[in-house]
Amino acid sequence: MIKTILHKVFSITLALLVLFSTVSFTIEKHFCGDVLVDVAVFTEADKCGMEALEMLRSKSCCKDEVKVVKGQDELNVSSFDELKLQKQQFLAAFIYTYITGFSGLPKKTVPHKDYSPPNLVYDIQVLDQVFLI
């Protein structure tokens, strides 16, 4: 039971690791002067409403800062034939021993499984006064 739970947790963890290592996203910040107005992930940051005044003035007090976090673009998928001979032998031996290592022993039949011993009429050790010390 614990083995299956650990197997599922490990599989989900690895799947999430692959997912998050390949996802790219942007973080956009909008500053009005030196004050941070809005931060947005995946979308455009909201403006502070000073754009109308910026058209009248030539100098802008607002600035946008965009940070792009790039994920991994390509995942390398290698085949068994691309491995060196030593690694192929190790991998084949490991898989073979892993598969055969968990095979159970054959079930043996016990011929006297349903046999119940006879009731003791006399306690022989007490009659002969032989005790283990």
Side-chain angles (χ1 to χ4, degrees), residues 117-124 127:
N119 294 330
L120 292 177
V121 179
Y122 301 106
D123 193 2
I124 304 295
L127 286 175

Side-chain angles (χ1 to χ4, degrees), residues 123-133:
D123 193 2
I124 304 295
Q125 290 179 343
V126 175
L127 286 175
D128 294 337
Q129 293 191 1
V130 177
F131 303 106
L132 295 176
I133 297 178

Side-chain angles (χ1 to χ4, degrees), residues 2 5 10-11 72 82-83 93 104 110 120 133:
I2 293 175
I5 293 172
F10 187 68
S11 299
Q72 188 176 359
E82 293 175 4
L83 297 175
V110 180
L120 292 177
I133 297 178

Side-chain angles (χ1 to χ4, degrees), residues 2-3 6 14 16 23-24 27 29 48 50 52 64 74 81 83 85-87 98 108 111 114 122 129 131-132:
I2 293 175
K3 182 180 175 183
L6 286 176
L14 286 179
L16 290 175
V23 171
S24 299
I27 301 172
K29 299 177 184 177
C48 60
M50 299 293 276
D64 290 325
E74 297 177 8
D81 297 330
L83 297 175
L85 180 63
Q86 291 176 342
K87 289 184 180 180
Y98 185 80
K108 295 182 179 179
D114 296 326
Y122 301 106
Q129 293 191 1
F131 303 106
L132 295 176

Side-chain angles (χ1 to χ4, degrees), residues 91-105:
L91 190 60
F94 179 77
I95 290 172
Y96 176 75
T97 55
Y98 185 80
I99 290 171
T100 59
F102 292 111
S103 63
L105 296 174

Side-chain angles (χ1 to χ4, degrees), residues 21-65:
S21 68
T22 57
V23 171
S24 299
F25 61 93
T26 60
I27 301 172
E28 190 169 336
K29 299 177 184 177
H30 181 76
F31 291 94
C32 189
D34 291 334
V35 178
L36 179 64
V37 176
D38 189 30
V39 177
V41 180
F42 298 117
T43 61
E44 189 173 325
D46 292 335
K47 307 297 181 194
C48 60
M50 299 293 276
E51 290 84 20
L53 294 175
E54 289 177 8
M55 289 181 186
L56 298 175
R57 290 188 281 167
S58 61
K59 188 177 178 184
S60 173
C61 68
C62 296
K63 66 177 181 176
D64 290 325
E65 187 177 302

Side-chain angles (χ1 to χ4, degrees), residues 9-22:
V9 168
F10 187 68
S11 299
I12 290 171
T13 304
L14 286 179
L16 290 175
L17 178 70
V18 169
L19 176 70
F20 288 125
S21 68
T22 57

